[in-house]
Amino acid sequence: MTADLSGTSFAALHRPGEPLLLPNAWDHASAAALAARGFPAIATSSLAVAAAVGLPDGAAATREHTVRLALTLGSEPYHLSVDAEGGFSDDPAEVARLATELWAVGVAGLNLEDGLGASDLLAAKIHAVKAAVPGMFVNARTDTYWSGDGDEQDTLRRLDAYQQAGADGVFVPGLTDPARIAGLVRRLGVPLNLLHSPAGPTVPRLAELGVARISLGSLLYRRALGAALDAMDDIAAGRTPGGTTPSYDEVCALERRVSVSRSANSTG
């Protein structure tokens, strides 16, 4: 099954109570395989992009690599959202130029994070992006729970600033408390995005709470690395590796499907 967008905008996929389950890919094959399973939107993972080239995550070091991946994926038959850390710059105008560049290659969404820095800086970046590319879905992430102490008032203050700056959605990774999630949903004027946690509420429970988007972050990439290590341990011990293993032909077929779609896009 391939993703069927049927004219649905990326923004329209964010439905409270019926959330967009957004898997994060790290290369052409992983994105194509996920789209073939029927996911209408795919995101990139900043950790995976950084790790693939041996650079640190969250250090504004992977702008070139992120744009290159977006160029590879942006013309494919699914909505693409790009994790751009803090926009790879403290200059709002430069972040707006990045958004314009990504929009031109087919990117529908942009994830920008505050890293617990000044909220007015991220707000300025959001404002600049929306002024330059009004159609770009800007998902504003605050790290108050991810790398902070989960201060509720600071979270609300930051999210208010990002909404006022024009954010189309807000992302609070690390938030897992159902009561606080429900409270945020009631207070926000834009869709709430949370990060799936194996130890947190399930996808059905998050839907009940009114969450509109559930991201997988780097989980799939880390699971893939773990599966490779487990397979090597099994092989070394004389065991047959378990789990799903796509065949050589199945992987090649992903490339053929994408090549066909790319050709159609270039001639249509």
Side-chain angles (χ1 to χ4, degrees), residues 9 17 38 57 75 97 115 150 167 178 183 194 223 231 236 238 248 256 258:
S9 71
D57 183 32
S75 62
R97 282 190 286 274
L194 292 181
R223 290 277 294 183
Y248 179 89
R256 285 196 295 272
V258 172

Side-chain angles (χ1 to χ4, degrees), residues 21-48:
L21 183 58
L22 187 63
N24 297 68
W26 54 92
D27 62 9
H28 185 274
S30 58
L34 289 163
R37 286 291 181 97
F39 292 99
I42 308 293
T44 64
S45 161
S46 67
L47 174 63

Side-chain angles (χ1 to χ4, degrees), residues 133-234:
V133 194
M136 179 73 81
F137 188 101
V138 177
N139 196 43
R141 165 177 157 172
T142 184
D143 288 314
T144 49
Y145 282 84
W146 187 248
S147 53
D149 59 5
D151 184 287
E152 192 168 10
Q153 291 307 310
D154 187 32
T155 301
L156 294 174
R157 179 184 63 80
R158 289 172 180 271
L159 296 184
D160 284 346
Y162 305 154
Q163 288 182 95
Q164 292 168 14
D168 300 284
V170 293
F171 184 23
V172 190
L175 175 59
T176 59
D177 178 75
R180 289 195 173 189
I181 293 170
L184 260 188
V185 168
R186 289 192 297 269
R187 193 180 192 282
L188 291 171
V190 297
L192 175 62
N193 177 198
L194 292 181
L195 182 69
H196 170 70
S197 169
T202 63
V203 168
R205 178 61 175 140
L206 291 174
E208 291 174 357
L209 293 169
V211 173
R213 170 168 158 179
I214 302 169
S215 296
L216 276 292
S218 64
L219 178 62
L220 298 182
Y221 179 69
R222 292 183 287 112
R223 290 277 294 183
L225 288 177
L229 295 173
D230 289 344
M232 285 307 303
D233 286 344
D234 285 338

Side-chain angles (χ1 to χ4, degrees), residues 24-101:
N24 297 68
W26 54 92
D27 62 9
H28 185 274
S30 58
L34 289 163
R37 286 291 181 97
F39 292 99
I42 308 293
T44 64
S45 161
S46 67
L47 174 63
V49 170
V53 293
L55 292 173
D57 183 32
T62 57
R63 185 190 194 281
E64 174 188 348
H65 305 285
T66 299
V67 171
R68 185 180 300 124
L69 180 58
L71 180 62
T72 301
L73 305 182
S75 62
E76 303 307 334
Y78 47 78
H79 295 296
L80 178 66
S81 182
V82 168
D83 181 353
E85 299 181 2
F88 307 115
S89 175
D90 284 339
D91 179 359
E94 180 59 33
V95 178
R97 282 190 286 274
L98 170 66
T100 301
E101 187 175 353

